[in-house]
Amino acid sequence: MQSQMKESDPILEVENLFASTNNLPILKGVSLTVYPGEIHAIMGRNGCGKSTLSKIIAGHPSYNITNGDIKYSGENINSLEPEERSQSGIFLGFQYPIEIPGVSNLEFLRVSTNARRKFLNKEELDTFDFEELVKEKLELVKMDQAFLSRSVNQGFSGGEKKRNEILQMALLEPKIAILDETDSGLDIDALRIVASGIKKISNTQTGIILITHYQRLLDEIEPNYVHVMADGQIIKTGGSDLALELEKKGYEWTDHFVKET
Amino acid sequence: MEIIEKIKTNKLLEYQTEIQKICLHKLQSNPLPNPKSELWRLSNKTKFSNFLDYSFNEKDLKFDSPYPNNSQSTIRLIIGENCQIEFVEENYSIEQLSEDEVDKYIKEQISSFDQNENWSDLLNLSLSCKKNILGLKVNGSKIPPIEIFSHASSNSLNAKTLVIFLEKNCDVELIQVNLGKENSSLSQSTFFFLEENSSLNHGVVSYGENGSNLLNSLNVIQQKNSEYNLGSLHFKFNYARFEINIKQSQGNAKTNIKGMQITKKDEQISTYTKIDFNGPNGFLDQINKSLADDKSHAIFEGSIIVPKIAQKTDASQLSRNLLLSDLAQIDTKPQLEIIADDVKCKHGATISQLNEEELFYMRTRGVTLAEASKLQLSSYFQEIISFIPVSKDKWDLLDKLLNEN
């Protein structure tokens, strides 16, 4: 199956990436390649650089790439603005989705969706057509329509915020989605809803990077590759059995890999 | 400042009404406010002089309203243009106050005026001729929303005065619009008297053009069980001061204020509020927001006075400020003067910049930085705009102007 996937070009190539914020090095040579249809899981202790990697791929202005490249569909995107990356199909699902009081969720989703549709040369949707589309996507994450009239993420529970992230992913139809600890703060039912939503959205043309601490998300969505990060580097890559081993042995087990690198 | 010279030498007006005489007399020996006093120390001297530089004009050009005419659903009045006003319907009446009634009320007010503290009103009442004083008595309920316009003509200083009595049990929605034309100064003084059980939802929207100046003074007296709600917005003025004086004369009244000022370029806009609780069980909830960009300066100073008689007062005053540029300046000073010992009073101030994480979140959803900033600002405006008692979508121009910011 994996060789079949690799007949096409990679969606994302992170090549020997070094990055810092406020002159503090965070990433110290990360390399990662994602092909269409692949699901990658990145695991690691808190502070190892997982979230930073996701933010840098999405274009966070607070981080500087000091060395290395990020290529998306073969093009270097190091200097692209976050909105340009999103419009072209890179999606970041936030660990802590931001609340934006006073901005209606429906309008925000419509503006975002239209920005992506414009890039894809699709017709932009007016409020009426968009409501039809969003109703259909709400089903995927079992969200009530009432969420649309509220301000973006304001007053949402942790689980509702994460479902709203997956709703956005469904509307934006990204080519690559990086989901940063989408499973954190979810109960078992919510985790299943979110996981089922992700599976329905992903297809043979999409790549997914799941950043997680726990096996339980990977029980629902089986990854093709599992990467372990420590101190700003990927120190070990394996199949889904690597996550099971990590679950059993804990991160201490990976300490000797750090020494090797 | 020719006008100040004329006040000093009593050569400002050939014919003076009694009120003008009293006010001019109060100003004559000391025609300018004390620049070192708390109320005036932050006022930009050059801009303040510019306010007084225009020659005083009793007559102004015919008002050309940029707003859609909502005469079907609202009562529109223009200070200086309406001669006879009388709306008498089954549920309500709006009648013009007689000259004697206006004179009597204003004289009562002036008697306690301080040259420095009430300088803006003293100047206004020195200049306002009879034609530019609109006095109304409102009674009843189910009253259509009232719109009252004031404006200044280009290259002149105009003074307009509004006096409104709300009779017992009266319930009114009123929006006041102050428009500054290019290179002009407008002095607007407003006096409201809310009788027992009356309620006023008041909106003040003031905006100018290049080189507009505004001195806007609002004086409210609330009798017991009255409710006064104010939503205000000031923007696009070279120099503007909004002075709010509210007195709950017997306590047991409610006041809610949500105000906002937006400054850009090198503009200076300030809001000074004084809320005086003169009886027990008074309530105040106030929030003032400022947004300062470029090299502009926004000021808020608020004082809440709670004397011994005002036990069980519940008052809150917050000042929230957004700085959009390194060169912009914000001064804010919410303060409490409490003598009563059984009260619940709080105040606070914050100054922040646009939230970087919110902006990044929106950008990762394809929204451009400019659009994301606009969305964030509109969310900042929202709380205030929604409090102004006029449906926002009715006001196309207001929408447009907000979008410019």
Side-chain angles (χ1 to χ4, degrees), chain A residues 59-61 81-83 86-87 91-92 94 98-101 103 108 112 115 153 165 168, chain B residues 355-358 360-371 375-376 378-380 382:
Chain A
H60 198 297
E81 297 294 341
E83 54 269 38
S86 163
Q87 289 160 8
F91 178 83
L92 171 62
F94 279 55
I98 309 289
E99 297 187 6
I100 315 173
V103 176
F108 179 62
S112 313
N153 293 322
E165 293 292 283
Q168 292 173 23
Chain B
N355 185 316
E356 290 292 335
E357 287 308 308
E358 265 184 37
F360 176 61
Y361 184 70
M362 290 191 263
R363 295 176 79 190
T364 64
R365 301 301 181 253
V367 181
T368 61
L369 179 60
E371 285 170 353
L375 274 174
Q376 214 177 63
S378 105
S379 116
Y380 186 71
Q382 197 63 38

Side-chain angles (χ1 to χ4, degrees), chain A residues 59-246:
Chain A
H60 198 297
S62 301
Y63 297 94
N64 292 320
I65 295 176
T66 49
N67 194 26
D69 291 315
I70 306 170
K71 288 182 185 164
Y72 172 67
S73 297
E75 301 280 329
N76 188 308
I77 59 162
N78 283 18
S79 56
L80 277 193
E81 297 294 341
E83 54 269 38
E84 293 172 310
R85 299 182 198 209
S86 163
Q87 289 160 8
S88 67
I90 298 174
F91 178 83
L92 171 62
F94 279 55
Q95 182 181 359
Y96 303 109
I98 309 289
E99 297 187 6
I100 315 173
V103 176
S104 112
N105 204 21
L106 182 70
E107 190 53 19
F108 179 62
L109 294 172
R110 193 174 75 85
V111 170
S112 313
T113 306
N114 278 339
R116 172 85 172 120
R117 288 178 73 89
K118 197 174 172 187
F119 179 87
L120 295 171
N121 289 322
K122 287 186 181 175
E123 199 184 341
E124 290 181 44
L125 301 174
D126 60 23
T127 311
F128 185 74
D129 290 335
F130 181 70
E131 275 196 49
E132 289 301 306
L133 174 70
V134 81
K135 269 184 212 163
E136 183 192 308
K137 303 289 184 190
L138 278 169
E139 274 296 304
L140 284 175
V141 283
K142 304 212 179 322
M143 272 173 86
D144 192 278
Q145 275 193 57
F147 284 102
L148 300 175
S149 54
R150 288 160 60 177
S151 295
V152 180
N153 293 322
Q154 197 181 25
F156 287 26
S157 70
E160 288 162 352
K161 283 181 182 169
K162 296 296 173 75
R163 282 194 267 169
N164 202 28
E165 293 292 283
I166 304 305
L167 173 67
Q168 292 173 23
M169 178 180 159
L171 288 164
L172 296 175
E173 297 178 357
K175 279 174 74 177
I176 185 143
I178 307 148
L179 302 173
D180 188 8
E181 297 198 27
T182 295
D183 52 342
S184 66
L186 296 183
D187 62 29
I188 301 163
D189 293 339
L191 178 74
R192 286 204 178 120
I193 292 168
V194 165
S196 134
I198 295 168
K199 281 196 278 191
K200 283 178 191 157
I201 300 162
S202 57
N203 56 48
T204 54
Q205 298 307 308
T206 9
I208 291 183
I209 300 172
L210 300 171
I211 294 172
T212 183
H213 279 291
Y214 306 107
Q215 175 61 33
R216 59 180 200 160
L217 178 65
L218 307 182
D219 288 339
E220 301 289 333
I221 308 171
E222 192 184 346
N224 304 100
Y225 297 98
V226 174
H227 309 277
V228 181
M229 269 189 90
D231 194 24
Q233 290 175 307
I234 290 178
I235 53 160
K236 190 166 178 61
T237 295
S240 55
D241 51 337
L242 177 59
L244 290 168
E245 206 165 352
L246 264 179

